[in-house]
Amino acid sequence: MTNNHLTSDLKARRGKSSNRTDEERYGRKAVFASAIGYGLDGFDLLILSFALSGIIATFGLTDIEAGSLHTITLLGAVLGGIVFGVLADRFGRVKMLTYSVVLFALFTGLSAVATGFADLAAYRFIAGIGIGGEFGIGMTLAAEAVPAKMRARATSWVAIGFQFGVLAAAILSAPVISVFGWRGLFVIGAVPAIVAIVLRKRLHEPPKFLEKVHNDGQNSQTKAKSNPLRLLVGSKKAVRITLAMIILTSVQNFGYFGIMSWLPRYLNTQFNLNLMSSSIWTAVTVVGMMSGILVFGQLADRIGRRKTFWIFQIGAAVSVLAYSQMTDATLLLIGGFAMGAFANGMLGGYGALMAELYPTEARATAQNVLFNIGRGIGGFAPIVIALIASQYGFAFALGLLPAIYLLAFLTMFLVPERSGAELN
């Protein structure tokens, strides 16, 4: 081989190495930005749980009225999921992620000046619209930015971001409430708007989306006919998969909000734990959730999506049932960790699963619409739990939750296994 050939070969290798480095760097930035966005979502949703006691006292609400604030927020998220999902598939993942964070941050801040249930409910609904955009856009951005073999781990890291937000809320809520009252929590919730603007300036759209935009530009007919919502139900196979995903995301969210919305109050009323102790017990449950998500991502990339979901669905059913029967405060710490690991460990898997089931032109729409329909249905969990608990107690209400994980186990038979497949 001549010197010229050697030089050309070396340059080509350096070019490939440089491209890989750039891709890896972009992938890390995309996952980080998505995790931050989803983390702000988690912070917002849990501060409402810790603020409920103060809100009840301030406005004289019943438990059911207070629980409905979660439901109203999550119903707003259904609308936001549809709107921001379609917009993200049309105009860009990064751009719409920024707008969604700014919207929810603004109306979370306004919740601090609410004068009654009506305006607080309105603020929560609009904040929910912003929240609805974050899961699907962040998961889509992460899934499109990393190699196929690391997809479940990447979306799991996005889900970990949510738990960091929840953990921050669990740690900060008690001291903030003790000094500033429940309104102080919502003032802090307005800060993410600044974070969103900073992230927007540091990240460009993923190559997969830019490729789609380029192809649409070459074919104006494709662009005109493109309807991402239609692709979710465009065939019998698509309808089957979409219905299965709605069931799975509904179970995920019903279990999560059924547990987390009332957990601080449950620990307080059933075990006489004060606000600080309840925060610690809740934080341990959240750490369990984070551990479960990390394990789920590793397993899903190694043994496949379906098998991993089955392991965690069985674990969730068993651990939630066991937790509902515990009466010792120390056991509650251990049981809370295990319950969190299994019941919410699956959260990181939905991003990879849906990314592989839907094409680029409908991927953000599918992620947002299907997960937020699940959030809307799961949003009734705080009310359902409150209704059952008012008659039979919180322990009995928790003890009924394992049934939904058995439904999810059966539903996985309807979902194709496309672990590690290249995205369409």
Side-chain angles (χ1 to χ4, degrees):
M1 185 178 291
T2 66
N3 287 337
N4 286 337
H5 286 147
L6 286 171
T7 302
S8 298
D9 184 54
L10 182 59
K11 287 182 178 178
R13 291 182 182 181
R14 285 176 176 172
K16 290 179 180 179
S17 176
S18 177
N19 288 338
R20 281 197 299 270
T21 301
D22 289 343
E23 289 173 2
E24 291 172 359
R25 187 180 297 114
Y26 175 78
R28 288 193 295 268
K29 288 170 64 178
V31 171
F32 179 75
S34 300
I36 289 291
Y38 199 31
L40 301 175
D41 181 340
F43 182 85
D44 179 88
L45 288 172
L46 192 62
I47 61 175
L48 178 58
S49 296
F50 280 100
L52 278 184
S53 294
I55 292 171
I56 290 170
T58 300
F59 300 131
L61 306 182
T62 66
D63 280 354
I64 293 174
E65 286 174 326
S68 73
L69 290 172
H70 278 287
T71 305
I72 289 167
T73 304
L74 297 173
L75 289 176
V78 175
L79 176 60
I82 296 171
V83 172
F84 279 108
V86 173
L87 291 176
D89 279 328
R90 290 288 177 88
F91 301 109
R93 285 59 162 120
V94 177
K95 184 184 296 184
M96 290 304 135
L97 181 64
T98 303
Y99 293 159
S100 68
V101 173
V102 170
L103 182 64
F104 103 74
L106 175 62
F107 282 89
T108 294
L110 285 173
S111 298
V113 297
T115 58
F117 177 77
D119 62 331
L120 180 57
Y123 296 146
R124 293 308 306 165
F125 181 80
I126 300 174
I129 294 175
I131 287 171
E134 289 162 28
F135 173 88
I137 299 175
M139 289 296 186
T140 298
L141 178 59
E144 291 177 345
V146 301
K149 64 182 181 180
M150 297 182 64
R151 190 174 296 133
R153 277 168 280 184
T155 57
S156 290
W157 275 109
V158 177
I160 283 289
F162 182 89
Q163 300 308 324
F164 270 114
V166 171
L167 186 60
I171 293 171
L172 292 175
S173 290
V176 170
I177 289 174
S178 66
V179 177
F180 301 105
W182 64 268
R183 296 180 188 275
L185 286 177
F186 291 109
V187 171
I188 294 174
V191 174
I194 301 170
V195 177
I197 294 169
V198 173
L199 289 177
R200 173 71 180 92
K201 293 181 178 180
R202 294 171 177 259
L203 193 67
H204 60 77
E205 297 293 342
K208 183 67 72 172
F209 175 78
L210 295 176
E211 180 184 340
K212 185 206 72 108
V213 171
H214 175 74
N215 292 337
D216 284 350
Q218 298 292 318
N219 187 345
S220 59
Q221 288 185 338
T222 300
K223 186 175 181 180
K225 293 180 180 178
S226 177
N227 185 341
L229 287 170
R230 187 179 300 167
L231 293 176
L232 273 59
V233 291
S235 65
K236 289 183 178 179
K237 180 181 179 181
V239 169
R240 185 182 76 247
I241 292 172
T242 294
L243 287 175
M245 291 310 307
I246 289 173
I247 293 172
L248 290 172
T249 56
S250 296
V251 167
Q252 176 68 33
N253 284 287
F254 196 95
Y256 177 81
F257 290 111
I259 294 167
M260 294 304 294
S261 295
W262 289 110
L263 186 58
R265 192 166 173 81
Y266 169 63
L267 293 170
N268 175 254
T269 57
Q270 298 290 111
F271 300 96
N272 296 317
L273 297 179
N274 60 29
L275 185 61
M276 185 63 74
S277 296
S278 295
S279 296
I280 294 171
W281 264 247
T282 303
V284 170
T285 302
V286 173
V287 171
M289 292 178 175
M290 296 168 71
S291 302
I293 289 170
L294 289 176
V295 172
F296 188 100
Q298 293 287 335
L299 283 178
D301 276 336
R302 285 172 167 77
I303 66 173
R305 316 307 189 216
R306 183 181 290 171
K307 289 179 182 178
T308 308
F309 269 103
W310 278 338
I311 291 170
F312 275 72
Q313 285 156 354
I314 293 172
V318 172
S319 60
V320 172
L321 181 61
Y323 189 84
S324 70
Q325 304 303 310
M326 292 178 182
T327 57
D328 180 77
T330 303
L331 282 179
L332 282 171
L333 278 175
I334 301 170
F337 182 92
M339 178 178 67
F342 285 110
N344 212 49
M346 294 171 278
L347 182 63
Y350 294 102
L353 187 64
M354 287 189 276
E356 293 161 350
L357 295 174
Y358 296 94
T360 301
E361 57 266 31
R363 185 166 296 122
T365 300
Q367 298 263 20
N368 261 352
V369 170
L370 300 182
F371 189 79
N372 282 296
I373 287 175
R375 278 215 274 205
I377 295 171
F380 286 96
I383 296 176
V384 172
I385 293 294
L387 287 170
I388 296 173
S390 66
Q391 296 294 320
Y392 304 103
F394 281 110
F396 182 83
L398 284 176
L400 295 179
L401 283 178
I404 66 175
Y405 295 109
L406 298 180
L407 171 63
F409 182 94
L410 296 174
T411 302
M412 283 304 301
F413 284 103
L414 302 176
V415 180
E417 176 67 73
R418 297 194 70 242
S419 177
E422 289 300 323
L423 301 181
N424 296 327

